[in-house]
Amino acid sequence: MWTSRPDGRPDRLLTLADGVFAIAITLLVLDLYVPRGLDADRYQAALHRLLPDLGAYALSVGVLGSFWRDHRRIFRDVREVDGQVIVLSLTGLGVAALVPFPTRLLAEYGDEPVSVAVYAAAVAALGACHLALAAVLAKRPWLRDGTPSDTGSTPYLLESATMVVVFAVSVPLALVTGATAMWLWLALVPVRFVLGRRLQKAG
């Protein structure tokens, strides 16, 4: 059984997280470019070819930005961390740093079922890390000086679990239906809105 032993304040962990998310978002934009020296027709064609890249970029910026915000929110009242919290955080940051790769697959080979499945698997894994982190900290009030946290509440955990389930389900679905599985991701918008409202009321 894992023994929770406080291992210092979370400041360095949060600084590391800020850096990882910032670098991951920066890497997303490196492949957005238009060749130089094009005439008008080829320039227009190049811009048209750039649209999938911009779409994948916008999607991943939204995903990474949302997870960065949630990570800060999870640690809002945390005063100390232990080994398990550090391991879960580092695992999540490792997945976050990987997101530019499936984003590139989605931009270049968005019609390929495997590309959609790999992207969905990465987001589901990142969500699972955050869900586990929130659940662990909710059960260890001594790491937050006994203060309650909204990220340990049922609405928040349910909201996080819903996102993990949706992306996890879309992995096998993408292998069967292809890119149309991405429409399932839109189901998260109303679900997260409703659960977010409930979380605000609970607060």
Side-chain angles (χ1 to χ4, degrees), residues 71-106:
H71 192 269
R72 300 285 294 186
R73 186 177 174 186
I74 289 170
F75 280 90
R76 181 180 300 161
D77 300 316
V78 174
R79 301 291 177 261
E80 291 185 290
V81 295
D82 59 20
Q84 190 172 18
V85 170
I86 293 173
V87 169
L88 287 172
S89 293
L90 291 178
T91 303
L93 293 177
V95 179
L98 186 65
V99 168
F101 170 66
T103 301
R104 187 79 252 137
L105 292 180
L106 206 61

Side-chain angles (χ1 to χ4, degrees), residues 54-183:
L54 289 171
Y57 166 78
L59 174 63
S60 290
V61 167
V63 167
L64 289 173
S66 176
F67 278 114
W68 171 77
R69 178 186 157 205
D70 276 354
H71 192 269
R72 300 285 294 186
R73 186 177 174 186
I74 289 170
F75 280 90
R76 181 180 300 161
D77 300 316
V78 174
R79 301 291 177 261
E80 291 185 290
V81 295
D82 59 20
Q84 190 172 18
V85 170
I86 293 173
V87 169
L88 287 172
S89 293
L90 291 178
T91 303
L93 293 177
V95 179
L98 186 65
V99 168
F101 170 66
T103 301
R104 187 79 252 137
L105 292 180
L106 206 61
E108 296 287 347
Y109 302 99
D111 294 333
E112 294 291 334
V114 174
S115 298
V116 180
V118 170
Y119 189 91
V123 177
L126 184 53
C129 289
H130 277 224
L131 176 60
L133 191 57
V136 165
L137 285 170
K139 294 180 179 179
R140 296 177 182 174
W142 58 87
L143 294 179
R144 49 175 75 249
D145 292 339
T147 58
S149 171
D150 63 339
T151 58
S153 66
T154 299
Y156 179 85
L157 295 176
L158 183 60
E159 179 185 355
S160 299
T162 300
M163 188 204 62
V164 174
V165 169
V166 167
F167 277 95
V169 167
S170 67
V171 173
L173 188 62
L175 297 176
V176 176
T177 65
T180 56
M182 288 189 289
W183 290 104

